[in-house]
Amino acid sequence: MSANEEQLKELLVRGLAGDEAAYHQCLKLPSAHLRGFLRVRLARLPDDVEDLVQETLLAVHNQRHTYDPGQPLTAWIHAIARYKLVDLLRRRAGREVLNDPLDDELAVFAVSDTDAADARRDLGKLLEQLPDRQRLPIVHMKLEGLSVAEAARATGMSEAAVKVGVHRGLKALAALIRSKSEE
Amino acid sequence: MKTDELITLLANDAGAVAPRVWRQRYALALGAGLIGAALLMVMMLGVRPDIADAVHLPMFWVKLAFPVALAAGALLAAVRLSRPGVAIGRVGAMLAAPVLAIWVLAALALLGAPEDRAMLIWGETWADCLVNIPMLSVPAFVAVLWVMKTLAPVQPALAGAAAGLLAGALGAIIYALHCPELAAPFIGLWYLLGMLIPAALGAVIGPRLLRW
């Protein structure tokens, strides 16, 4: 599985316009590259690779409103992956040392690794720690595939509250990951 | 949860996203920052009483143009530093140009009136400048940092500095309507320092505040 700039960009632009299938592909295609990129750089922390792949994908999703179709998509994803990598290494500073320079541009797309190991951190468990107003909309809409209206009915929340709950819940999940890994 | 499951979770009902949301957010932050600074200035300092006469002096407009030019450069820097993978470009030159310009004017003023040098540099209110410009920058500082927090700065120290400089420049624009000083050396020194105080503060608090 490989991904190139034009193909990915078209998928993301369609995804941002509301095309769910295109958006799914747009997250799926770069994940092998992300894994390859992070595995090389986290040679001393192999167990963290899949966690960081997931953290980066969550960040790509949560920050997707910062993408401008006028800019190269690979550079955008690379910058996010690099930020999350540096963030992890900084948190681990003192225990492990960075063993690879990070300045090679666009290196995310130079390597690929489709062999997803199991994530050490279970996002499903972290999800359970969210308050109901965020957790229930995510479970109903995102995991069980209900529509906004159905999720609103199932939770007794308004449709607007369901949407806000999903949005804030995924942000809170990212924040939870950050605080967990600082422990 | 497996990575494929996460991807499915994220993509399900992801919905449409408004394009280039940062534009309106920055516009709101600038408006709020300027209005906030103007209110603070009117309530705490007051517009200079002779402003009707001052608008006829070229240096009054130079004193406004200097922070306006810095605000434009700082805004561009802030917008670019708010999003991953965007090169900062020639913002450095954009920021250096107004500083060099005011320093050239300052050098000419100092050379032209050697006996008045102390007055041209120190004026009568240099210390006020260092207090009031940072004070007037607070509304914009808060608003711009809030906007940055909703975006994704990957260089938080630089982003914080850009936010501080932008806020400082907006504060200086408003302060120029109160401040009686008109000498280029004064503006090139104290106005600049007044704007650099929030910029330095932003560089310090950026890495803590702007994590995502």
Side-chain angles (χ1 to χ4, degrees):
Chain A
M1 193 183 320
S2 74
N4 64 53
E5 168 71 30
E6 277 159 44
Q7 179 195 11
L8 268 184
K9 187 187 248 187
E10 195 206 322
L11 287 171
L12 181 58
V13 168
R14 274 163 52 198
L16 292 180
D19 181 339
E20 225 176 275
Y23 186 59
H24 187 276
Q25 276 299 98
C26 177
L27 290 177
K28 178 104 186 143
L29 286 178
S31 60
H33 292 284
L34 282 174
R35 190 172 296 118
F37 170 78
L38 294 172
R39 187 155 289 161
V40 171
R41 273 144 195 91
L42 288 173
R44 296 201 198 165
L45 301 166
D47 295 343
D48 285 317
V49 171
E50 206 56 30
D51 284 358
L52 203 54
V53 170
Q54 295 191 353
E55 200 180 335
T56 304
L57 288 170
L58 185 59
V60 163
H61 175 77
N62 278 340
Q63 319 298 336
R64 66 196 190 283
H65 60 287
T66 66
Y67 179 69
D68 182 339
Q71 77 179 111
L73 176 56
T74 42
W76 180 73
I77 293 182
H78 181 265
I80 292 176
R82 190 174 176 280
Y83 174 79
K84 285 294 170 188
L85 174 62
V86 170
D87 198 47
L88 173 88
L89 293 171
R90 195 167 290 143
R91 288 182 321 228
R92 299 288 172 84
R95 273 179 289 164
E96 276 96 5
V97 203
L98 178 59
N99 58 2
D100 224 343
L102 294 167
D103 50 5
D104 38 355
E105 272 300 310
L106 308 187
V108 171
F109 293 88
V111 277
S112 180
D113 189 341
T114 51
D115 175 24
D118 281 338
R120 197 164 53 164
R121 166 189 59 215
D122 189 350
L123 287 182
K125 291 225 172 75
L126 281 184
L127 199 55
E128 285 168 18
Q129 297 180 22
L130 296 181
D132 281 356
R133 66 181 184 285
Q134 294 170 353
R135 183 177 59 85
L136 292 176
I138 292 177
V139 168
H140 287 305
M141 270 185 70
K142 299 250 167 202
L143 292 179
E144 295 169 9
L146 299 190
S147 69
V148 180
E150 289 165 337
R153 231 171 295 133
T155 56
M157 297 162 73
S158 72
E159 290 191 18
V162 166
K163 285 187 195 164
V164 168
V166 169
H167 179 74
R168 295 213 177 130
L170 291 176
K171 294 252 179 199
L173 197 57
L176 215 49
I177 292 172
R178 281 203 303 276
S179 63
K180 286 279 164 211
S181 36
E182 266 169 10
E183 281 167 8
Chain B
M1 186 181 297
K2 292 194 183 303
T3 300
D4 280 349
E5 293 170 334
L6 173 69
I7 291 172
T8 305
L9 179 151
L10 294 177
N12 262 355
D13 268 301
V17 171
R20 301 193 175 101
V21 282
W22 54 89
R23 291 189 180 178
Q24 72 216 45
R25 289 186 194 169
Y26 267 104
L28 278 176
L30 291 196
L34 277 175
I35 290 170
L39 287 176
L40 279 178
M41 189 270 283
V42 168
M43 287 189 308
M44 299 180 68
L45 306 170
V47 178
R48 60 185 286 180
D50 59 344
I51 188 133
D53 299 324
V55 295
H56 298 296
L57 301 169
M59 272 315 288
F60 176 81
W61 296 102
V62 170
K63 191 174 68 167
L64 269 184
F66 177 53
V68 166
L70 281 178
L75 174 62
L76 192 61
V79 169
R80 289 186 176 167
L81 287 165
S82 295
R83 295 182 295 121
V86 180
I88 183 162
R90 298 202 179 156
V91 168
M94 267 186 80
L95 291 172
V99 175
L100 285 178
I102 197 81
W103 284 355
V104 167
L105 287 180
L108 292 176
L110 292 173
L111 290 172
E115 67 283 1
D116 294 335
R117 276 181 191 166
M119 189 58 199
L120 288 173
I121 292 172
W122 296 92
E124 285 172 349
T125 63
W126 65 272
D128 295 351
C129 209
L130 296 186
V131 174
N132 289 334
I133 290 179
M135 188 263 288
L136 294 176
S137 77
V138 169
F141 207 1
V142 173
V144 171
L145 284 175
W146 176 80
V147 167
M148 272 187 178
K149 246 194 115 47
T150 72
L151 301 167
V154 291
Q155 293 171 280
L158 266 184
L165 185 62
L166 174 55
L170 295 177
I173 293 170
I174 298 297
Y175 183 64
L177 304 175
H178 160 82
C179 164
E181 309 280 353
L182 287 178
F186 183 94
I187 297 162
L189 180 59
W190 304 113
Y191 268 56
L192 186 60
L193 283 178
M195 294 185 259
L196 287 178
I197 289 172
L201 183 65
V204 173
I205 63 174
R208 291 206 151 267
L209 207 64
L210 296 172
R211 285 187 66 206
W212 50 275

